[in-house]
Amino acid sequence: SPVGSRHCDVCPEGTFAHAEAAVCAPCDAGRFTALAGGSSCEVCSAGTYSLPGSLHCFLCGPGHFAQAGSGDCSPCAVGTFAPMGSERCTACIAGRAAPLGSSLCEECVAGTFSLAMASSCMVCSAGRFAAFVGSSACDPCESGTYAPAGSGACMACDPGKYAPNSSGQCSTCPTGRHASRGSDHCQSCNAGRFSVAGSSEC
């Protein structure tokens, strides 16, 4: 109460006063009091925050976190996540990814992959594939097959074409050579036989 007062006023909720204080002071950010007439403010628990003069603490939203006594919540770094009311963020495992401020890690779709703590999934390069959701790496295509970038499977080369392993496309057999479906090389025509480019037989 002010100097000269004949009685002491009760501090309202969200404020406090020490003994012989002239005025009530608001609770600092990260602290609160829901009681009138308080002499101190309580500390907000981990995963919550408060503004100055608060009556209670608020839960951090999904994708954010806070230590005890925080005045606000911080977003989770890329490659990490947190549900509502979290004290810390958790790292995404390989095969999952999360951008800044994520509440969960998204699984990489087929044809993409990620390492641990990734911000996004990466597309498999040509000649490689990822068949399953949540892949941590891409596998090379076998000989006689190919895959464009971002593939979930390798496809066999058409007749008259061939491919070595890890190919992004099949090559056409030249004149005088041939190949059946799914070939890794072209075979020469026997003596007395011929073929045009891209032939499956002589």
Side-chain angles (χ1 to χ4, degrees):
S1 63
V3 175
S5 295
R6 300 177 62 181
H7 65 276
C8 295
D9 298 318
V10 176
C11 290
E13 297 89 341
T15 67
F16 73 102
H18 298 303
E20 301 183 3
V23 294
C24 300
C27 294
D28 292 335
R31 293 174 175 269
F32 75 101
T33 178
L35 301 175
S39 60
S40 64
C41 300
E42 297 182 56
V43 177
C44 290
S45 60
T48 69
Y49 74 100
S50 72
L51 302 176
S54 290
L55 281 65
H56 55 82
C57 302
F58 305 91
L59 284 173
C60 291
H64 292 72
F65 72 99
Q67 303 296 322
S70 294
D72 60 6
C73 301
S74 302
C76 291
V78 296
T80 67
F81 75 101
M84 179 178 285
S86 293
E87 178 181 5
R88 62 180 62 88
C89 302
T90 304
C92 296
I93 61 174
R96 296 171 179 259
L100 181 71
S102 293
S103 60
L104 51 80
C105 298
E106 295 284 354
E107 284 190 309
C108 296
V109 300
T112 67
F113 75 102
S114 77
L115 303 178
M117 296 186 68
S119 60
S120 61
C121 299
M122 295 177 286
V123 173
C124 293
S125 59
R128 304 180 73 85
F129 73 102
F132 304 106
V133 172
S135 293
S136 59
C138 301
D139 298 313
C141 290
E142 296 181 352
S143 299
T145 67
Y146 73 101
S151 292
C154 300
M155 296 165 284
C157 292
D158 291 332
K161 296 187 175 184
Y162 71 99
N165 62 345
S166 302
S167 294
Q169 60 184 9
C170 299
S171 301
T172 301
C173 290
T175 300
R177 292 175 173 270
H178 68 99
S180 59
R181 181 178 180 82
S183 294
D184 61 357
H185 69 283
C186 299
Q187 295 180 318
S188 299
C189 292
N190 293 330
R193 304 181 70 87
F194 74 97
S195 68
V196 296
S199 294
S200 60
E201 58 184 20
C202 298

